[in-house]
Amino acid sequence: MKANGTDDVADKTNGYSAPALEKGLDILEALCQSENGLTQQEIASKLGRNLGEIYRMLTCLVRRDYVANYGNTYTITAKLFQLSHFHPPTYRLLTEALPVMEELSRDISFPCDLRVYSKGVQTVIASIQPPDGLGFMTRVGSEIAVAPSASGLVLLAFQEPVIMDLMVRESLPDKSDDEVTRFRSKLKEVATKGFASIQSNQYAGLHAISFPILDINRNAIAAITIPMLARIDGEQQASLAEVEEKLRQRATNLSNRIALGNTGNRV
């Protein structure tokens, strides 16, 4: 008997049956509805399945990274969320973002980059150098830890609560409870403020500003980030307030273009 009260005969209504697929989907749906994860026994009980069936399916789902096993508790990973964001594809995001980033970098004379979340880290998918070629650059393809960075805060702060929780657990697997609590507190501050603007925890004199690129549901699909280094040679440069405002304008524009594109409208 299935969790919804129907049996396998119902699967054959249209002349087709996929019991293994049904079991896997039942498990994913059950885990999605659980805030704190479930044990094998709890999953089996919810779905009216025996432990042998559940064990085999869970082993496959863990291997394919749809489900994570923390001790005796199974929980959904962020993979389904990531798959859902393949549309709009990265190509569309880059097509919209690159001209804006190039204009911004020329305007403020600082580098900027674009980062996306992927399996507990953030990946740099675009990086623009200012015309003078000076500044702190991040290489395209670099994988960067989530917790210490402004962009990591932005990518997690602007998500649905369940997705945010999954990302936190995935990004900070070895952190203490106190460290995770402090990180969650920072996420709330960033969500309230609308962006992150922090001194680097890794490099002296570096200040990072990051804004989210939001989809139609107001979830972050990327973070656009400017690393600022103060000049000591007397040359004038844009102030922190100016950079924050110019980045806000560009990020808002990009978010609007992405959202309009998802509804089928042309910009």
Side-chain angles (χ1 to χ4, degrees):
M1 211 57 164
K2 291 188 185 176
N4 62 6
T6 63
D7 56 31
D8 288 339
V9 174
D11 296 329
K12 300 179 182 179
T13 303
N14 295 321
Y16 298 98
S17 176
L21 178 59
E22 290 284 345
K23 292 173 195 174
L25 293 174
D26 286 345
I27 291 172
L28 290 175
E29 290 174 358
L31 291 175
C32 284
Q33 294 165 7
S34 172
E35 291 185 7
N36 300 312
L38 298 168
T39 65
Q40 280 190 55
Q41 184 62 60
E42 289 170 335
I43 296 170
S45 177
K46 275 181 171 290
L47 303 182
R49 305 278 189 183
N50 65 58
L51 283 174
E53 292 178 288
I54 297 301
Y55 173 78
R56 290 192 296 273
M57 295 305 302
L58 281 173
T59 299
C60 177
L61 291 169
V62 169
R63 186 176 71 248
R64 296 292 298 270
D65 198 34
Y66 287 94
V67 171
N69 182 7
Y70 298 99
N72 295 319
T73 301
Y74 291 85
T75 183
I76 202 79
T77 68
K79 185 169 184 178
L80 287 173
F81 168 79
Q82 292 159 5
L83 289 174
S84 73
H85 280 71
F86 281 175
H87 183 76
T90 301
Y91 177 79
R92 165 82 199 291
L93 176 60
L94 289 173
T95 299
E96 296 286 1
L98 283 173
V100 174
M101 294 169 65
E102 289 170 353
E103 178 193 39
L104 173 62
S105 187
R106 287 195 304 269
D107 191 14
I108 61 176
S109 295
F110 285 111
C112 64
D113 62 62
L114 193 66
R115 307 177 187 186
V116 296
Y117 180 89
S118 177
K119 296 184 179 180
V121 297
Q122 46 184 329
T123 302
V124 179
I125 62 171
S127 185
I128 301 297
Q129 195 171 23
D132 61 14
L134 300 177
F136 185 92
M137 290 285 293
T138 48
R139 179 177 56 84
V140 172
S142 298
E143 291 190 343
I144 302 167
V146 168
S149 68
S151 52
L153 289 168
V154 162
L155 287 169
L156 271 63
F158 297 91
Q159 303 294 346
E160 298 293 335
V162 172
I163 296 300
M164 182 195 298
D165 185 61
L166 292 172
M167 288 180 165
V168 169
R169 283 185 283 170
E170 195 173 50
S171 304
L172 286 73
D174 302 320
K175 301 295 184 181
S176 68
D177 290 343
D178 286 344
E179 289 174 303
V180 172
T181 298
R182 287 195 295 271
F183 183 70
R184 290 182 183 276
S185 178
K186 290 179 182 177
L187 291 178
K188 291 180 182 178
E189 293 174 8
V190 169
T192 300
K193 188 176 183 180
F195 67 104
S197 183
I198 62 173
Q199 289 289 339
S200 172
N201 297 300
Q202 299 164 303
Y203 299 97
L206 183 67
H207 191 103
I209 309 104
S210 189
F211 277 79
I213 306 302
L214 303 172
D215 64 14
I216 194 171
N217 296 312
R218 312 305 292 170
N219 296 318
I221 59 172
I224 183 169
T225 304
I226 294 175
M228 292 183 64
L229 279 174
R231 299 191 68 136
I232 59 173
D233 59 1
E235 287 289 328
Q236 259 194 324
Q237 63 181 171
S239 70
L240 176 61
E242 289 172 334
V243 172
E244 287 177 347
E245 182 55 33
K246 289 179 183 294
L247 184 52
R248 181 197 306 277
Q249 293 170 3
R250 269 49 173 227
T252 300
N253 177 264
L254 275 174
S255 295
N256 290 339
R257 292 175 69 90
I258 292 295
L260 285 171
N262 282 351
T263 60
N265 296 324
R266 298 186 64 83
V267 182

